Amino acid sequence: MVHQYSSQPRLSPSGYEEDIRAVLAPRLAYFEAVARHEHVTRAAHELGVPQSTLSRAMVRLEQDLGVALFARRGRTVSLTPAGRTFLGSAERALAEVEKAADSVRADADPTAGKVAFGFLHTMGSETVPALIRAFRADHPKVRFQLVQNYGEAMIERLRAGGLDLCLTSPVPDAPDLVAMRLDEQRLRLVVPDDHRLAGRRRIRLAEAADETFVTLEPGYGLRRITDDLCAEAGFTPRVAFEGEEAETLRGLVAAGLGVALLPPPAVARPGVVELTVTAPRAAREIGVAWLDGHPDTPPVAAFKRFLLSRRGSLLPD
């Protein structure tokens, strides 16, 4: 039987790129099997489809492409030069699909899957390593893809699908997110050890109204909390420096550049004194957030349950 092919594909010119993917993708495995066996019946048996269905699919594929892919002798076929060119690309495409399938199956494996987890810079030195160490005591093969960033950037990445869940502060309130409060962390006013207030243990934040502050950049949750607390205390802080790391700010305080509202350090830094703020109450809530309505893989679900079980004991003493 001889098939005639036009020199132009039957696909609509206006939507060719979109249409060609929809036409070709379901047929690549069919084409690869026929090309490999050089026999329609044997390929149909391997694929578990009727021989007539496979034959029609190959004819339609050639008609859509406007190119003869096979030379036919009954149910035995051989590739034309165009067919051999097309086969190479089809094999690479199918290999990529198989690779992608293997990857997502591996990530969802209950015992050795992957968790994409984001956290604040201030939680990276002590809190998150301790959490992962405790979780992996019962899940030793689970893999982590870790992202350390400020809160707004992590929420953006969560929405884009780059994270499964994140630890952040303040706890976000958005209709597309689920967010659960896990713990609270007191903030301290950090001053140089030769500062006029260094001999104090406690302070009302209003007493620092005339001080110069070093803070995190706008967009960071801790910066927003700092601005809000200062406003509640009746002043707008004069800012000498805006940074990205809390420990950098602590070092600048030690150098005498200003004072800062910061969470407790993992390791005490010389050159500074950390004062308890009695009014207004200076604290930040730490919470975990994830996209509402998105199903969890088994390893993500297990880690989420673990984090929620740490409510009230998330942070080191």
Side-chain angles (χ1 to χ4, degrees), residues 26-216:
R27 299 176 186 163
L28 290 183
Y30 282 8
F31 168 75
E32 187 274 338
V34 174
R36 179 162 36 83
H37 285 285
E38 295 188 337
H39 198 280
V40 176
T41 302
R42 288 197 290 270
H45 179 74
E46 177 187 289
L47 294 167
V49 299
Q51 178 269 327
S52 58
T53 299
L54 187 56
S55 293
R56 286 194 299 270
M58 292 301 95
V59 170
R60 182 61 187 271
L61 175 61
E62 292 174 308
Q63 289 173 342
D64 284 331
L65 290 173
V67 175
L69 301 175
F70 298 104
R72 292 167 172 81
R73 293 183 182 86
R75 290 191 177 93
T76 300
V77 297
S78 60
L79 288 169
T80 64
R84 292 193 179 282
T85 298
F86 190 65
L87 176 62
S89 295
E91 288 174 333
R92 289 191 293 273
L94 290 169
E96 285 299 313
V97 171
E98 185 175 359
K99 181 180 176 182
D102 289 343
S103 177
V104 296
R105 281 195 293 260
D107 288 347
D109 184 276
T111 60
K114 184 185 74 174
V115 178
F117 179 45
F119 55 94
L120 299 168
H121 290 95
T122 50
M123 316 213 78
S125 62
E126 192 171 2
T127 300
V128 168
L131 287 172
I132 292 176
R133 183 168 58 250
F135 176 75
R136 295 191 73 188
D138 293 324
H139 304 81
K141 295 183 180 179
V142 167
R143 295 170 288 120
F144 281 87
Q145 177 186 334
L146 299 176
V147 174
Q148 189 176 26
N149 214 324
Y150 65 98
E152 289 185 7
M154 284 194 297
I155 296 302
E156 290 177 9
R157 194 155 180 169
L158 194 67
R159 288 180 169 131
L163 290 175
D164 295 311
L165 64 169
C166 63
L167 282 182
T168 188
S169 178
V171 180
D173 181 14
D176 61 333
L177 300 177
V178 178
M180 306 290 289
R181 181 185 183 278
L182 296 179
D183 214 335
E184 181 181 85
Q185 189 173 48
R186 296 299 298 267
L187 303 179
R188 300 167 176 173
L189 184 70
V190 185
V191 302
D193 61 6
D194 59 355
H195 192 273
R196 64 181 179 86
L197 299 171
R200 302 271 297 275
R201 295 183 59 188
R202 301 174 183 273
I203 187 173
R204 290 178 296 106
L205 190 56
E207 296 178 74
D210 294 331
E211 299 293 333
T212 299
F213 280 70
V214 292
T215 72
L216 296 179

Side-chain angles (χ1 to χ4, degrees), residues 234-307:
F235 69 96
T236 299
R238 291 184 293 116
V239 176
F241 175 80
E242 296 173 332
E244 298 179 351
E245 290 276 356
E247 288 311 300
T248 298
L249 301 185
R250 198 171 256 106
L252 293 175
V253 171
L257 192 62
V259 302
L261 277 170
L262 295 173
V267 178
R269 175 186 282 270
V272 299
V273 174
E274 312 217 356
L275 309 178
T276 299
V277 178
T278 59
R281 189 172 185 276
R284 64 172 182 171
E285 291 186 334
I286 307 295
V288 59
W290 61 87
L291 278 180
D292 190 18
H294 279 222
D296 293 330
T297 63
V300 171
F303 189 59
K304 186 183 293 183
R305 288 193 299 271
F306 169 79
L307 288 177

